[in-house]
Amino acid sequence: AAFLPALFNQPSVWEKLGLFSGFGMLAEAAGNMVISPLVAVWSIFLTAGLYHLALILLRTPSKGWNATFRAVSYGLGAAYVLNIVQVLGMLVGFVLYFLYPAFGLHKLHGMSGGQAALVVILPTVVCCCLAVILVGAAVSLGLLAGLGAALAH
């Protein structure tokens, strides 16, 4: 339990960037209120693009970009609202982040539930695999650089 005070006394993202320093928590909250909707909109566009790409690659029935964007917007919008509640809302929102868009894609594109679930899960699995490969490559390069430096001495 000794780590708890240190956990809550960490500098915020704004302080690390040197923004709003000296203005206090009110300015930080105002900054978050401006940035959060922009990040949410960007996230919805990116997610809709990835899901639509998965629709194309899997050759599933498609009613176009507009239907994909609508399904993702409604689904993620509902899931993002739950992030207001601290811990439980984030956990439930994480599940709904996958469930609501899959249901929307199923209804709007007229595909099976399994196809919709695959369209929603596939980009996440591919991104996680790429992240593991990149981290493994970075670790391997770091180990090789350390080995090369050790052998040079």
Side-chain angles (χ1 to χ4, degrees):
F3 69 91
L4 285 177
L7 182 68
F8 291 109
N9 289 325
Q10 295 297 318
S12 69
V13 173
W14 299 111
E15 290 172 331
K16 289 179 183 177
L17 292 174
L19 300 172
F20 302 118
S21 59
F23 290 104
M25 289 176 32
L26 184 62
E28 183 178 335
N32 285 337
M33 284 192 284
V34 170
I35 296 296
S36 293
L38 298 175
V39 170
V41 168
W42 176 81
S43 174
I44 289 171
F45 270 103
L46 179 68
T47 304
L50 288 173
Y51 289 174
H52 198 70
L53 180 63
L55 282 169
I56 292 168
L57 292 175
L58 295 173
R59 295 190 176 120
T60 56
S62 178
K63 300 260 172 44
W65 162 257
N66 289 338
T68 304
F69 184 71
R70 264 186 297 154
V72 172
S73 296
Y74 290 135
L76 295 187
Y80 285 161
V81 168
L82 292 173
N83 285 338
I84 295 171
V85 181
Q86 285 298 315
V87 176
L88 186 61
M90 291 178 192
L91 293 174
V92 172
F94 178 75
V95 172
L96 296 180
Y97 180 86
F98 294 103
L99 189 63
Y100 283 168
F103 185 73
L105 291 172
H106 165 68
K107 289 295 183 185
L108 291 176
H109 286 288
M111 62 178 66
S112 72
Q115 286 176 326
L118 185 61
V119 165
V120 170
I121 292 171
L122 185 66
T124 303
V125 170
V126 168
C127 288
C128 288
C129 289
L130 287 174
V132 167
I133 290 169
L134 288 174
V135 168
V139 169
S140 298
L141 288 174
L143 290 174
L144 288 175
L147 181 63
L151 292 176
H153 292 295

